[in-house]
Amino acid sequence: MPEHSTRPYEWVGAWSEKRAQLSPDAVGLVDATTGERYTYRELDRRANRTARLLREHGVADGERVAVLSRNRPELIDCFFATGKTGGVLAPLSHRLAPRELVQMLNDVEPELLVVEAPFAELAADVLSHDAREFETTVVTLPADEDSSESDSDPSDGSASHAAESREGEWRGDEWREDEWRSWNSVRPVDGSPVETADVSMDDPHLFLHTGGSTGVPKETVITHGSVLWNSFNTITAWGLRPEDVTPMVFPLFHTGGWNVLTVPLFHLGARVVIAREFDPESVLRLVESEGATVLVAVPAVLRMMCHHDEWDDTDLSTLRFAKSGGGPCRNSVMEAWWDRGIELSQGYGLTECGPNNFTLPDGWSHEKSDSVGVPAMHVDARVVDDDGEPLPSGTIGELELASPHAADRYWKNPEESAETFGIPVSEANGSPEDEGRESTGEWVSTGDLARVDEDGYVYIEGRKKNMYVSGGENVYPAEVEDVIADHPKVEEVVVVGVPHEKWGQVGKAVVEGDESLTLSDLEAFLDGKLARFKRPRHLAFVDGMPMSGPSKIDREAVKSEFGEAK
């Protein structure tokens, strides 16, 4: 990766104060769950209050605050506030089990743990777990009906009194530890400017977790420079504007929640709409009511939206474009959006790099819709063989990316840091004294298979670990799934390799859809569309695909259940 400057510019981390100065009265955040709307002036005051809270609990100069919550304004407050204090925000998935959370928190070692009410019992299980090694202070976020509070400085102390009364209500729950306190009672009411820390582009700002080879998520170190460069790439590649509005359907414990659109739109002074829960109907309604101009979602959400009863009657005319990310988007879904006059295309990214790496040239043809486009302005991409040597156009190999928006390393995971980021193990140990070091890697290994056509468009062929070999031929499940998904009786499909005595492995299609579909029907449908060795030899059905994230199919769970030849 290119080296970042280590100079501590005053503007590094100053997201809310700079934007509040430039666009004080513009609405930057809408909480669709409560109906609250926050201007950038209000967001900066909230960030100042939160920065004071974080400093009181030692969340500064590289120390961490972990958050177990759905999408709420308080997470935005923590992002802006850690920029001011030099702290690090580590949002955690509430979908994880206590054992996984304990192991992650043992590594993160947060000075402060912020827990939203619905996950208090989960947090209590984590804190009482035998494997717990970390010590922290716990603060709880109140239920939505108890969360409203003034952002002005009260002269009579009424806001403080109200906060204290809410805290008393919280303490009545039997699962609460006596020392747990409510966010509203401990956050200072003073929203005036705070003294900001000296942070450089190389200092960490976010810990965002991703899957690990051992099954425990890895914490990816996202620096201030990574966040900033991804924002530059997204704005320039996608043509974002200050007047843009988006419903943020990704959770804020994923890179999609922060770096796909939220931070780039804050960068411009645009508007982000969040909610505790999103479903296709609510997204459709928000597009219409908020006049959304940009939408990015996983393929399953986009598919459910265009199949919803409200689809034809929803006014989508304000949308300039939509993007699909997190997996391949079926042609039938893309065509449904195109028929409504909306340019839907596929994006590509990962926590370790970006996540916004590609764009589509002006006047691109729908014939290229299976691709993710060409590399963005400040991104290099290449396809390599198992020895890391670049491959010619049209040849499938592993996709590697290089950009100043790449992450720094995995926290306290030197072996996997070396494998993914090309950092020598001795320099990737994640120890505190290494924070802010200059990265020595260049190319980020994505683990995804890809090819590049003669025009420079990149096509993702699936995960390297999902490829299987049948009779000496490589089979890429994504290619097979794309064709099967066009069958009218198929709603969703995952193809896995299963053992075969003669061919080594053959494909098994796991289908969500009409169970009257037979293997013979499928073979007839695929005749002339796929080579014989690529066609599945087994067929199985599920009522619904297992999910590992925000409407993202858990392929490992599918493989675990259906990985036998029967």
Side-chain angles (χ1 to χ4, degrees), residues 287-339:
V287 167
E288 181 172 290
S289 63
E290 292 289 339
T293 60
V294 181
L295 175 66
V296 183
V298 296
V301 170
L302 295 168
R303 174 173 58 85
M304 288 187 285
M305 288 176 70
C306 66
H307 289 171
H308 197 276
D309 292 342
E310 301 285 334
W311 172 253
D312 291 332
D313 297 327
T314 301
D315 181 2
L316 304 177
S317 62
T318 57
L319 279 176
R320 292 191 294 112
F321 67 86
K323 277 193 173 289
S324 170
C329 189
R330 310 305 182 199
N331 286 332
S332 60
V333 174
M334 300 185 79
E335 289 169 358
W337 284 82
W338 296 341
D339 288 344

Side-chain angles (χ1 to χ4, degrees), residues 143-154:
D144 289 319
E145 61 268 21
D146 297 325
S147 63
S148 61
E149 57 174 327
S150 171
D151 283 310
S152 61
D153 294 338

Side-chain angles (χ1 to χ4, degrees), residues 7 67 108 111 131 163 174 178 243 299 336 342 422 444 449 532:
R7 175 180 172 183
V67 183
V108 171
E111 297 293 319
E174 60 184 13
D178 288 343
E243 61 269 23
I342 299 162
V444 175
L449 294 166
R532 186 174 297 276

Side-chain angles (χ1 to χ4, degrees), residues 62-322:
E63 298 300 330
R64 278 77 64 192
V65 52
V67 183
L68 191 63
S69 173
R70 297 168 298 175
N71 291 5
R72 296 178 57 119
E74 291 85 354
L75 272 88
I76 305 299
D77 299 340
C78 284
F79 174 81
F80 287 144
T82 48
K84 294 172 183 282
T85 70
V88 179
L89 172 60
L92 303 170
S93 170
H94 48 76
R95 300 185 178 112
L96 296 174
R99 180 189 62 83
E100 296 168 307
L101 289 169
V102 166
Q103 293 182 62
M104 293 169 64
L105 286 166
N106 283 342
D107 284 341
V108 171
E109 297 179 298
E111 297 293 319
L112 187 66
L113 174 61
V114 181
V115 180
E116 188 189 14
F119 313 112
E121 291 188 58
L122 174 59
D125 289 342
V126 169
L127 293 168
S128 61
H129 200 283
D130 291 342
R132 173 189 169 186
E133 298 173 358
F134 66 95
E135 294 294 333
T136 191
T137 300
V138 181
V139 175
T140 57
L141 291 173
D144 289 319
E145 61 268 21
D146 297 325
S147 63
S148 61
E149 57 174 327
S150 171
D151 283 310
S152 61
D153 294 338
S155 58
D156 61 357
S158 58
S160 296
H161 177 75
E164 288 171 1
S165 68
R166 280 192 293 271
E167 181 184 4
E169 293 169 4
W170 278 97
R171 289 188 182 278
D173 292 316
E174 60 184 13
W175 41 256
R176 288 288 311 279
E177 298 283 346
D178 288 343
E179 66 268 20
W180 291 17
R181 303 184 65 191
S182 77
W183 175 270
N184 289 338
S185 71
V186 298
R187 186 162 68 155
V189 295
D190 184 2
S192 63
V194 298
E195 182 180 353
T196 55
D198 290 335
V199 291
S200 78
M201 298 273 274
D202 284 321
D203 288 325
H205 193 181
L206 290 168
F207 281 4
L208 298 176
H209 54 75
T210 186
S213 59
T214 62
V216 177
K218 305 182 296 290
E219 291 287 359
T220 310
V221 179
I222 313 294
T223 66
H224 287 271
S226 300
V227 174
L228 186 65
W229 272 103
N230 178 76
S231 183
F232 282 146
N233 272 331
T234 308
I235 291 168
T236 56
W238 295 0
L240 299 182
R241 306 170 183 173
E243 61 269 23
D244 276 331
V245 179
T246 193
M248 178 43 56
V249 300
F250 295 108
L252 290 172
F253 55 75
H254 277 178
T255 186
W258 294 105
N259 292 321
V260 167
L261 279 176
T262 299
V263 176
L265 290 184
F266 286 158
H267 204 167
L268 289 166
R271 185 179 307 168
V272 177
V273 184
I274 62 172
R276 306 304 167 268
E277 307 289 345
F278 269 128
D279 56 57
E281 182 177 355
S282 65
V283 177
L284 285 168
R285 290 180 178 175
L286 279 173
V287 167
E288 181 172 290
S289 63
E290 292 289 339
T293 60
V294 181
L295 175 66
V296 183
V298 296
V301 170
L302 295 168
R303 174 173 58 85
M304 288 187 285
M305 288 176 70
C306 66
H307 289 171
H308 197 276
D309 292 342
E310 301 285 334
W311 172 253
D312 291 332
D313 297 327
T314 301
D315 181 2
L316 304 177
S317 62
T318 57
L319 279 176
R320 292 191 294 112
F321 67 86

Side-chain angles (χ1 to χ4, degrees), residues 11-32:
W11 50 261
V12 177
W15 288 94
S16 63
E17 59 203 82
K18 285 289 188 178
R19 185 42 63 189
Q21 185 179 40
L22 295 169
S23 314
D25 298 321
V27 174
L29 183 70
V30 177
D31 185 347

